Amino acid sequence: MELTRFLLRAGVRPRSAEPAWGCVSVILLDDAGMGGLNEAVMGLAGATDVVACGYDPLPGEADRRDADLAVNVQRAVLVAGNISRCARGWTADDELALYIAHGCDHLHGADDASDVERRRMRRRELVWLRRARERGLVKGLADWSVKAGRGCRKVAEP
């Protein structure tokens, strides 16, 4: 998925000593699937928008990290259906792209434990999404994900 590749590159800080991203799986889930995953991985009850799991490099592959990025397609479609947000032109494509951007931000080490950190992340993610829209990477994203089906894995290799 080109959007994920773009977002992973957007979050790399100049002169970073971080290993590059290897295989990043984007897992598309609904509320039920995301609720189970959120509990299993994060120890939290209920569905969420995104769960990002980065993995340390394997021995002998110190220059690349792999990750799983699970996104809640059902939630993105429902949130975008909210009249007040749609009135401002926010679509299911935008909401789903925001979840992917948020997950990529977490993979790069960002944390939204405080209000200040959460606002900082959101500002950064919206800048990334504006740039992604300009490159045509957001339009049709929700349609693609719904067609891919519940629980389907799509792999992005940056």
Side-chain angles (χ1 to χ4, degrees):
M1 170 188 296
E2 195 63 33
L3 174 65
T4 306
R5 193 173 294 118
F6 171 80
L7 292 168
L8 288 170
R9 288 182 185 136
V12 175
R13 282 133 186 103
R15 297 186 209 133
S16 174
E18 290 181 355
W21 289 104
C23 181
V24 177
S25 297
V26 177
I27 305 161
L28 308 173
L29 297 173
D30 60 7
D31 270 345
M34 188 60 87
L37 181 69
N38 196 26
E39 187 168 341
V41 173
M42 307 300 291
L44 301 171
T48 189
D49 52 0
V50 63
V51 173
C53 300
Y55 307 108
D56 291 332
L58 295 171
E61 294 188 8
D63 61 338
R64 64 173 254 167
R65 293 174 294 162
D66 295 336
D68 290 327
L69 189 61
V71 293
N72 190 333
V73 177
Q74 181 181 4
R75 178 161 295 184
V77 170
L78 290 173
V79 168
N82 178 318
I83 299 297
S84 65
R85 290 180 97 165
C86 269
R88 293 181 278 168
W90 193 257
T91 67
D93 293 339
D94 296 314
E95 191 71 15
L96 188 57
L98 178 63
Y99 296 174
I100 295 169
H102 189 69
C104 289
D105 213 359
H106 277 304
L107 289 176
H108 283 294
D111 189 3
D112 53 8
S114 75
D115 288 341
V116 170
E117 292 168 321
R118 194 171 12 268
R119 283 191 301 272
R120 194 173 293 147
M121 284 181 76
R122 182 55 46 94
R123 279 192 303 270
R124 185 171 42 244
E125 293 156 8
L126 290 175
V127 167
W128 293 347
L129 289 184
R130 181 179 45 77
R131 292 177 186 157
R133 267 192 228 99
E134 290 168 357
R135 289 167 174 77
L137 301 177
V138 174
K139 187 173 172 91
L141 186 63
D143 291 338
W144 172 85
S145 64
V146 170
K147 288 177 189 171
R150 179 180 177 267
C152 181
R153 290 173 67 108
K154 295 292 178 185
V155 178
E157 294 198 24

